[in-house]
Amino acid sequence: MPQTDVLIIGSGLAALSAAYHLRHKQITMITKSSWKKSNSMLAQGGIAAAIHKRDSWKNHFADTLVAGCYHNNEKNVEYLVQDGPSEILDWCERGMSFDCDKNGQFLLGKEGAHSHHRIIHAGGDATGKELTQFLYQSTKSSINIIENELVVDLIIKNGQCLGVCTKNQQGEIEYYLASKTIIASGGCGAVYGHTSNADVITGDGIAMAYRAGAEIADMEFIQFHPTMLHINGKCVGLISEAVRGEGAILINEAGKAFMNDLHHQGDLAPRDVVSRAIFDEMKKGHKIYLDISMISNFSTRFPTISTLCLQHGVSIASGRIPVAPGMHFLMGGILTNDKGETSIPNLFAVGEAACTGVHGANRLASNSLLEGLVFGKRIAEHILTLPFTNENCLTANIQNHKLMSGNVDKLPSKKDIQEIMTTCVGIQRTKAELVYAVKWFEDYKNQVSFWDFNVKDFTIEQIEIINMLTIGWIISTAALRRTESRGGHYRLDFPERNDISWRQKQVILTKSEMHVEV
Ligand code: SIN
């Protein structure tokens, strides 16, 4: 049975940042597809950091809290925004290059709900790809990377995490033992019909942590990105908010702009506000476009988006890009403290899979690549202070782990799950729809026992579906429990709250119970 010091599940920026800082240990990174298939690789806008001399971490802190509707963990937000500038400069020293002007100063973009220009970018609109590739190149020779192998479950013994069980594309099962296991497998975009996420993002890490008994929090907070390229009723890729940062405005088919009437930040209001405004316009039968006619250097500033438009027959020269909102980011996840520790000893989580509380009820634009860098490093530094024991010498009885219950004749398709989530647990929610969704998931739960299933008997696709069922049930249950509208959780039957004067407690779910906690 392979043994390693640290096992990392996932290969995005948070995973690579942790791996880089742990590289003197024995590291195994396991990813279900190619290392290149992550949401980090798709991130366009950039990375937020208060680096300009007229900006400060306090401004960045305040913007993060306002966008997060004060549901944030303020201590962790402080770590995020205070460590941000030095993280960027450290990676520049290691050779990463961001877009600069002819004097070598960072070109700083602006995105929704930021009070200052502070979005550092690379390759125009290819920041995630450039940065993730750079970290991969800096790390790959020091770690063992296993691709195309799905981590199915965590191995838990005496309440501690001892490693993972995987299944590869040939259907072979493997067990890996590790002193420390880090889940960095991203969020769960694929549970929705329209998403900017990579199609591999089916919530596997969060679902397996839930099965293992970890605490899962804030899952009702889903960020819908306002502007995905919308072709023939389908969302086919992201149109970065940085485009609005360069002056683009949202209009309907008659050319009427609508954001200035709704929010003092107009087209650059927080994402939840803009997404709901577009959703309302679309419900009235309008088609929505981004008017980009004022951006003269569009193709140079946004090469990735220009190519995407070209591929889908949208002419940049026409000055209009058809858009609609789509699932973009999960604010909740596996509950962790500031060091990435979960409620299970030796199990850590980082990046979108984790809930550190930095994003509150709605993430501030371009704070997620920053979270990956800052918290990846924080977790690594903490892990390096811990003892690495070799006590994980398990006997053959591990082979029987989880090979017990669950026999299913009929699972829904991924599309069925996406339809329920989009219709009942989407941008606007009602009690009746949420009750319907919870019941829909519970009917499968009763049939399928998707808490404990037989690893051997299911295909990779079926395991992904079981994970999506688990995540769908958790999101809809948490959304039913939160009886207010805040940030990415908007209920038509409850008033909107974005203040600190009255706060509902965090909804935390565990496998054995669901409770509301301080
Ligand atoms: C965007 O470029 O609009 C997305 C960036 C982000 O989600 O932070």
Side-chain angles (χ1 to χ4, degrees), residues 44-46 111 223 225 238-242 271 328 363-368:
Q44 293 177 351
E111 288 186 55
Q223 181 171 85
H225 195 289
L238 188 66
I239 308 294
S240 174
E241 203 161 85
R271 280 188 188 163
H328 185 57
R363 178 176 60 93
L364 183 68
S366 286
N367 265 358
S368 51

Side-chain angles (χ1 to χ4, degrees), residues 117-168:
H117 281 75
R118 63 167 76 96
I119 314 298
I120 295 149
H121 47 88
D125 54 4
T127 316
K129 188 171 169 199
E130 299 285 328
L131 192 55
T132 309
Q133 280 177 344
F134 188 83
L135 263 79
Y136 174 76
Q137 293 302 337
S138 312
T139 314
K140 68 172 187 200
S141 58
S142 330
I143 66 175
N144 173 27
I145 303 188
I146 299 170
E147 294 177 295
N148 300 311
E149 200 163 312
L150 176 72
V151 175
V152 178
D153 246 330
L154 301 165
I155 303 169
I156 305 290
K157 212 169 173 208
N158 301 328
Q160 304 207 14
C161 182
L162 300 184
V164 301
C165 163
T166 68
K167 191 162 199 168
N168 67 18

Side-chain angles (χ1 to χ4, degrees), residues 16-238:
L16 288 163
S17 167
Y20 177 81
H21 294 285
L22 285 163
R23 66 194 180 283
H24 300 304
K25 290 283 178 191
Q26 204 185 16
I27 307 291
T28 297
M29 180 179 278
I30 306 181
T31 183
K32 73 193 271 192
S33 173
S34 147
W35 73 268
K36 292 182 184 161
K37 267 212 147 189
S38 67
N39 282 346
S40 304
M41 287 287 279
L42 299 175
Q44 293 177 351
I47 177 160
I51 219 151
H52 193 275
K53 56 181 183 304
R54 281 198 295 278
D55 197 1
S56 78
W57 71 262
K58 287 192 176 160
N59 296 330
H60 191 180
F61 177 81
D63 293 347
T64 302
L65 260 47
V66 171
C69 302
Y70 297 98
H71 185 73
N72 316 59
N73 177 320
E74 296 188 12
K75 192 74 220 151
N76 286 345
V77 177
E78 265 182 39
Y79 290 129
L80 180 80
V81 297
Q82 286 181 346
D83 292 358
S86 59
E87 261 306 290
I88 302 286
L89 296 176
D90 285 350
W91 281 103
C92 288
E93 268 186 23
R94 294 176 194 126
M96 171 68 202
S97 53
F98 292 99
D99 297 337
C100 288
D101 66 16
K102 56 182 183 315
N103 301 318
Q105 301 295 313
F106 290 121
L107 286 165
L108 297 175
K110 193 154 188 295
E111 288 186 55
H114 284 274
S115 57
H116 286 69
H117 281 75
R118 63 167 76 96
I119 314 298
I120 295 149
H121 47 88
D125 54 4
T127 316
K129 188 171 169 199
E130 299 285 328
L131 192 55
T132 309
Q133 280 177 344
F134 188 83
L135 263 79
Y136 174 76
Q137 293 302 337
S138 312
T139 314
K140 68 172 187 200
S141 58
S142 330
I143 66 175
N144 173 27
I145 303 188
I146 299 170
E147 294 177 295
N148 300 311
E149 200 163 312
L150 176 72
V151 175
V152 178
D153 246 330
L154 301 165
I155 303 169
I156 305 290
K157 212 169 173 208
N158 301 328
Q160 304 207 14
C161 182
L162 300 184
V164 301
C165 163
T166 68
K167 191 162 199 168
N168 67 18
Q169 288 180 342
Q170 289 69 48
E172 292 155 347
I173 295 170
E174 182 64 271
Y175 295 85
Y176 296 84
L177 300 181
S179 186
K180 314 278 178 269
T181 299
I182 303 177
I183 298 181
S185 52
C188 63
V191 300
Y192 283 88
H194 303 294
T195 179
S196 62
N197 287 201
D199 57 3
V200 292
I201 306 296
T202 46
D204 310 318
I206 301 169
M208 76 180 77
Y210 182 79
R211 282 195 290 276
E215 292 183 333
I216 312 292
D218 285 350
M219 293 291 284
E220 64 275 31
F221 295 116
I222 303 289
Q223 181 171 85
F224 292 87
H225 195 289
T227 57
M228 294 202 51
L229 179 59
H230 194 229
I231 306 288
N232 298 329
K234 283 202 180 133
C235 289
V236 293
L238 188 66

